[in-house]
PDB file of all heavy atoms in Angstrom:
ATOM      1  N   SER C 109     106.252  83.959  -0.704  1.00 95.00           N
ATOM      2  CA  SER C 109     105.687  84.357   0.558  1.00 95.00           C
ATOM      3  C   SER C 109     104.307  83.687   0.822  1.00 95.00           C
ATOM      4  O   SER C 109     104.088  83.061   1.843  1.00 95.00           O
ATOM      5  CB  SER C 109     105.574  85.855   0.706  1.00 95.00           C
ATOM      6  OG  SER C 109     106.847  86.445   0.744  1.00 95.00           O
ATOM      7  N   PRO C 110     103.402  83.777  -0.213  1.00 96.00           N
ATOM      8  CA  PRO C 110     102.121  83.105  -0.011  1.00 96.00           C
ATOM      9  C   PRO C 110     102.225  81.585   0.063  1.00 96.00           C
ATOM     10  O   PRO C 110     101.496  80.857   0.744  1.00 96.00           O
ATOM     11  CB  PRO C 110     101.296  83.523  -1.207  1.00 96.00           C
ATOM     12  CG  PRO C 110     102.217  83.994  -2.218  1.00 96.00           C
ATOM     13  CD  PRO C 110     103.417  84.553  -1.448  1.00 96.00           C
ATOM     14  N   ALA C 111     103.237  81.033  -0.673  1.00 97.00           N
ATOM     15  CA  ALA C 111     103.458  79.535  -0.539  1.00 97.00           C
ATOM     16  C   ALA C 111     103.921  79.181   0.834  1.00 97.00           C
ATOM     17  O   ALA C 111     103.567  78.163   1.346  1.00 97.00           O
ATOM     18  CB  ALA C 111     104.477  79.178  -1.592  1.00 97.00           C
ATOM     19  N   ALA C 112     104.748  80.102   1.421  1.00 97.00           N
ATOM     20  CA  ALA C 112     105.212  79.826   2.763  1.00 97.00           C
ATOM     21  C   ALA C 112     104.045  79.803   3.800  1.00 97.00           C
ATOM     22  O   ALA C 112     103.966  78.946   4.721  1.00 97.00           O
ATOM     23  CB  ALA C 112     106.266  80.880   3.209  1.00 97.00           C
ATOM     24  N   VAL C 113     103.101  80.697   3.600  1.00 97.00           N
ATOM     25  CA  VAL C 113     101.944  80.720   4.482  1.00 97.00           C
ATOM     26  C   VAL C 113     101.179  79.442   4.328  1.00 97.00           C
ATOM     27  O   VAL C 113     100.734  78.862   5.322  1.00 97.00           O
ATOM     28  CB  VAL C 113     101.050  81.940   4.196  1.00 97.00           C
ATOM     29  CG1 VAL C 113      99.744  81.873   4.945  1.00 97.00           C
ATOM     30  CG2 VAL C 113     101.793  83.256   4.462  1.00 97.00           C
ATOM     31  N   ARG C 114     100.932  79.029   3.151  1.00 97.00           N
ATOM     32  CA  ARG C 114     100.227  77.778   2.833  1.00 97.00           C
ATOM     33  C   ARG C 114     100.884  76.594   3.460  1.00 97.00           C
ATOM     34  O   ARG C 114     100.278  75.676   3.970  1.00 97.00           O
ATOM     35  CB  ARG C 114     100.106  77.663   1.361  1.00 97.00           C
ATOM     36  CG  ARG C 114      99.577  76.277   0.919  1.00 97.00           C
ATOM     37  CD  ARG C 114      99.211  76.320  -0.555  1.00 97.00           C
ATOM     38  NE  ARG C 114      99.183  75.022  -1.214  1.00 97.00           N
ATOM     39  CZ  ARG C 114      98.841  74.836  -2.478  1.00 97.00           C
ATOM     40  NH1 ARG C 114      98.415  75.870  -3.219  1.00 97.00           N
ATOM     41  NH2 ARG C 114      98.830  73.621  -3.014  1.00 97.00           N
ATOM     42  N   LEU C 115     102.261  76.547   3.444  1.00 96.00           N
ATOM     43  CA  LEU C 115     103.030  75.394   3.880  1.00 96.00           C
ATOM     44  C   LEU C 115     103.367  75.527   5.341  1.00 96.00           C
ATOM     45  O   LEU C 115     103.876  74.549   5.888  1.00 96.00           O
ATOM     46  CB  LEU C 115     104.281  75.258   3.083  1.00 96.00           C
ATOM     47  CG  LEU C 115     104.064  74.965   1.559  1.00 96.00           C
ATOM     48  CD1 LEU C 115     105.406  75.063   0.786  1.00 96.00           C
ATOM     49  CD2 LEU C 115     103.535  73.556   1.400  1.00 96.00           C
ATOM     50  N   GLY C 116     103.106  76.630   5.985  1.00 96.00           N
ATOM     51  CA  GLY C 116     103.398  76.791   7.386  1.00 96.00           C
ATOM     52  C   GLY C 116     104.890  76.936   7.664  1.00 96.00           C
ATOM     53  O   GLY C 116     105.394  76.462   8.666  1.00 96.00           O
ATOM     54  N   THR C 117     105.617  77.605   6.755  1.00 96.00           N
ATOM     55  CA  THR C 117     106.996  77.772   6.937  1.00 96.00           C
ATOM     56  C   THR C 117     107.409  79.242   6.640  1.00 96.00           C
ATOM     57  O   THR C 117     106.513  80.119   6.594  1.00 96.00           O
ATOM     58  CB  THR C 117     107.808  76.821   6.001  1.00 96.00           C
ATOM     59  OG1 THR C 117     109.181  76.951   6.250  1.00 96.00           O
ATOM     60  CG2 THR C 117     107.548  77.060   4.538  1.00 96.00           C
ATOM     61  N   THR C 118     108.606  79.517   6.338  1.00 96.00           N
ATOM     62  CA  THR C 118     109.088  80.889   6.099  1.00 96.00           C
ATOM     63  C   THR C 118     109.338  81.097   4.610  1.00 96.00           C
ATOM     64  O   THR C 118     109.628  80.170   3.840  1.00 96.00           O
ATOM     65  CB  THR C 118     110.357  81.222   6.863  1.00 96.00           C
ATOM     66  OG1 THR C 118     111.427  80.356   6.388  1.00 96.00           O
ATOM     67  CG2 THR C 118     110.125  80.997   8.338  1.00 96.00           C
ATOM     68  N   GLN C 119     109.327  82.436   4.198  1.00 95.00           N
ATOM     69  CA  GLN C 119     109.599  82.723   2.824  1.00 95.00           C
ATOM     70  C   GLN C 119     111.023  82.334   2.458  1.00 95.00           C
ATOM     71  O   GLN C 119     111.257  81.764   1.398  1.00 95.00           O
ATOM     72  CB  GLN C 119     109.441  84.255   2.633  1.00 95.00           C
ATOM     73  CG  GLN C 119     109.596  84.717   1.223  1.00 95.00           C
ATOM     74  CD  GLN C 119     111.040  85.049   0.829  1.00 95.00           C
ATOM     75  OE1 GLN C 119     111.854  85.198   1.661  1.00 95.00           O
ATOM     76  NE2 GLN C 119     111.309  85.089  -0.498  1.00 95.00           N
ATOM     77  N   SER C 120     111.980  82.529   3.369  1.00 95.00           N
ATOM     78  CA  SER C 120     113.362  82.159   3.029  1.00 95.00           C
ATOM     79  C   SER C 120     113.493  80.637   2.979  1.00 95.00           C
ATOM     80  O   SER C 120     114.277  80.157   2.153  1.00 95.00           O
ATOM     81  CB  SER C 120     114.303  82.661   4.172  1.00 95.00           C
ATOM     82  OG  SER C 120     113.935  82.129   5.446  1.00 95.00           O
ATOM     83  N   GLY C 121     112.691  79.922   3.733  1.00 96.00           N
ATOM     84  CA  GLY C 121     112.749  78.484   3.617  1.00 96.00           C
ATOM     85  C   GLY C 121     112.224  77.963   2.260  1.00 96.00           C
ATOM     86  O   GLY C 121     112.787  77.059   1.709  1.00 96.00           O
ATOM     87  N   VAL C 122     111.175  78.571   1.793  1.00 96.00           N
ATOM     88  CA  VAL C 122     110.632  78.266   0.469  1.00 96.00           C
ATOM     89  C   VAL C 122     111.628  78.596  -0.590  1.00 96.00           C
ATOM     90  O   VAL C 122     111.939  77.794  -1.523  1.00 96.00           O
ATOM     91  CB  VAL C 122     109.299  78.925   0.221  1.00 96.00           C
ATOM     92  CG1 VAL C 122     108.847  78.733  -1.234  1.00 96.00           C
ATOM     93  CG2 VAL C 122     108.237  78.384   1.199  1.00 96.00           C
ATOM     94  N   SER C 123     112.260  79.752  -0.528  1.00 95.00           N
ATOM     95  CA  SER C 123     113.206  80.199  -1.559  1.00 95.00           C
ATOM     96  C   SER C 123     114.397  79.308  -1.562  1.00 95.00           C
ATOM     97  O   SER C 123     114.899  78.867  -2.620  1.00 95.00           O
ATOM     98  CB  SER C 123     113.668  81.652  -1.216  1.00 95.00           C
ATOM     99  OG  SER C 123     114.640  82.064  -2.119  1.00 95.00           O
ATOM    100  N   HIS C 124     114.891  78.893  -0.339  1.00 96.00           N
ATOM    101  CA  HIS C 124     115.998  77.975  -0.264  1.00 96.00           C
ATOM    102  C   HIS C 124     115.633  76.605  -0.870  1.00 96.00           C
ATOM    103  O   HIS C 124     116.418  75.979  -1.615  1.00 96.00           O
ATOM    104  CB  HIS C 124     116.436  77.792   1.206  1.00 96.00           C
ATOM    105  CG  HIS C 124     117.530  76.853   1.385  1.00 96.00           C
ATOM    106  ND1 HIS C 124     118.822  77.102   1.095  1.00 96.00           N
ATOM    107  CD2 HIS C 124     117.473  75.554   1.843  1.00 96.00           C
ATOM    108  CE1 HIS C 124     119.596  76.061   1.350  1.00 96.00           C
ATOM    109  NE2 HIS C 124     118.793  75.069   1.844  1.00 96.00           N
ATOM    110  N   ALA C 125     114.417  76.173  -0.613  1.00 96.00           N
ATOM    111  CA  ALA C 125     114.010  74.860  -1.168  1.00 96.00           C
ATOM    112  C   ALA C 125     113.904  74.908  -2.667  1.00 96.00           C
ATOM    113  O   ALA C 125     114.351  73.915  -3.309  1.00 96.00           O
ATOM    114  CB  ALA C 125     112.646  74.503  -0.583  1.00 96.00           C
ATOM    115  N   VAL C 126     113.403  75.987  -3.178  1.00 96.00           N
ATOM    116  CA  VAL C 126     113.272  76.046  -4.708  1.00 96.00           C
ATOM    117  C   VAL C 126     114.632  76.074  -5.303  1.00 96.00           C
ATOM    118  O   VAL C 126     114.940  75.404  -6.331  1.00 96.00           O
ATOM    119  CB  VAL C 126     112.498  77.279  -5.066  1.00 96.00           C
ATOM    120  CG1 VAL C 126     112.559  77.540  -6.576  1.00 96.00           C
ATOM    121  CG2 VAL C 126     111.042  77.180  -4.695  1.00 96.00           C
ATOM    122  N   ARG C 127     115.603  76.849  -4.727  1.00 96.00           N
ATOM    123  CA  ARG C 127     116.933  76.867  -5.251  1.00 96.00           C
ATOM    124  C   ARG C 127     117.557  75.470  -5.308  1.00 96.00           C
ATOM    125  O   ARG C 127     118.243  75.057  -6.202  1.00 96.00           O
ATOM    126  CB  ARG C 127     117.831  77.836  -4.496  1.00 96.00           C
ATOM    127  CG  ARG C 127     117.505  79.269  -4.778  1.00 96.00           C
ATOM    128  CD  ARG C 127     118.657  80.212  -4.332  1.00 96.00           C
ATOM    129  NE  ARG C 127     118.917  80.042  -2.906  1.00 96.00           N
ATOM    130  CZ  ARG C 127     118.351  80.748  -1.913  1.00 96.00           C
ATOM    131  NH1 ARG C 127     117.407  81.682  -2.236  1.00 96.00           N
ATOM    132  NH2 ARG C 127     118.635  80.515  -0.666  1.00 96.00           N
ATOM    133  N   GLY C 128     117.311  74.711  -4.190  1.00 96.00           N
ATOM    134  CA  GLY C 128     117.865  73.387  -4.109  1.00 96.00           C
ATOM    135  C   GLY C 128     117.287  72.476  -5.120  1.00 96.00           C
ATOM    136  O   GLY C 128     117.940  71.615  -5.751  1.00 96.00           O
ATOM    137  N   ILE C 129     115.938  72.569  -5.363  1.00 96.00           N
ATOM    138  CA  ILE C 129     115.266  71.764  -6.349  1.00 96.00           C
ATOM    139  C   ILE C 129     115.845  72.116  -7.747  1.00 96.00           C
ATOM    140  O   ILE C 129     116.107  71.132  -8.560  1.00 96.00           O
ATOM    141  CB  ILE C 129     113.775  71.985  -6.308  1.00 96.00           C
ATOM    142  CG1 ILE C 129     113.218  71.522  -4.951  1.00 96.00           C
ATOM    143  CG2 ILE C 129     113.091  71.243  -7.431  1.00 96.00           C
ATOM    144  CD1 ILE C 129     111.799  71.998  -4.683  1.00 96.00           C
ATOM    145  N   GLU C 130     115.990  73.333  -7.991  1.00 96.00           N
ATOM    146  CA  GLU C 130     116.566  73.771  -9.361  1.00 96.00           C
ATOM    147  C   GLU C 130     117.967  73.246  -9.538  1.00 96.00           C
ATOM    148  O   GLU C 130     118.340  72.848 -10.660  1.00 96.00           O
ATOM    149  CB  GLU C 130     116.508  75.323  -9.477  1.00 96.00           C
ATOM    150  CG  GLU C 130     115.066  75.841  -9.605  1.00 96.00           C
ATOM    151  CD  GLU C 130     114.980  77.319  -9.653  1.00 96.00           C
ATOM    152  OE1 GLU C 130     115.839  77.988  -8.995  1.00 96.00           O
ATOM    153  OE2 GLU C 130     114.105  77.908 -10.327  1.00 96.00           O
ATOM    154  N   ARG C 131     118.779  73.228  -8.478  1.00 95.00           N
ATOM    155  CA  ARG C 131     120.082  72.643  -8.632  1.00 95.00           C
ATOM    156  C   ARG C 131     120.045  71.116  -8.952  1.00 95.00           C
ATOM    157  O   ARG C 131     120.767  70.635  -9.775  1.00 95.00           O
ATOM    158  CB  ARG C 131     120.926  72.892  -7.348  1.00 95.00           C
ATOM    159  CG  ARG C 131     121.449  74.246  -7.211  1.00 95.00           C
ATOM    160  CD  ARG C 131     122.524  74.315  -6.074  1.00 95.00           C
ATOM    161  NE  ARG C 131     122.007  73.907  -4.814  1.00 95.00           N
ATOM    162  CZ  ARG C 131     121.448  74.774  -3.894  1.00 95.00           C
ATOM    163  NH1 ARG C 131     121.394  76.090  -4.178  1.00 95.00           N
ATOM    164  NH2 ARG C 131     121.059  74.343  -2.738  1.00 95.00           N
ATOM    165  N   LYS C 132     119.164  70.485  -8.272  1.00 94.00           N
ATOM    166  CA  LYS C 132     119.009  69.065  -8.541  1.00 94.00           C
ATOM    167  C   LYS C 132     118.518  68.758  -9.953  1.00 94.00           C
ATOM    168  O   LYS C 132     119.020  67.846 -10.636  1.00 94.00           O
ATOM    169  CB  LYS C 132     118.027  68.432  -7.533  1.00 94.00           C
ATOM    170  CG  LYS C 132     118.468  68.310  -6.108  1.00 94.00           C
ATOM    171  CD  LYS C 132     117.432  67.673  -5.237  1.00 94.00           C
ATOM    172  CE  LYS C 132     117.879  67.559  -3.783  1.00 94.00           C
ATOM    173  NZ  LYS C 132     116.898  66.916  -2.932  1.00 94.00           N
ATOM    174  N   VAL C 133     117.499  69.506 -10.430  1.00 94.00           N
ATOM    175  CA  VAL C 133     116.962  69.289 -11.703  1.00 94.00           C
ATOM    176  C   VAL C 133     117.850  69.809 -12.801  1.00 94.00           C
ATOM    177  O   VAL C 133     117.935  69.272 -13.933  1.00 94.00           O
ATOM    178  CB  VAL C 133     115.545  69.916 -11.764  1.00 94.00           C
ATOM    179  CG1 VAL C 133     114.966  69.791 -13.191  1.00 94.00           C
ATOM    180  CG2 VAL C 133     114.666  69.260 -10.783  1.00 94.00           C
TER     181      VAL C 133
END
């Protein structure tokens, strides 16, 4: 949530991005 505020996006967007990065890595 605080990362979303910093990035100007939503909490769900950040969560989705992290899951995608973890899948890639």
Side-chain angles (χ1 to χ4, degrees):
S109 295
V113 173
R114 169 169 159 175
L115 296 169
T117 185
T118 63
Q119 186 273 343
S120 60
V122 170
S123 179
H124 177 76
V126 171
R127 288 197 301 271
I129 296 167
E130 290 177 330
R131 282 196 299 270
K132 289 182 180 181
V133 177

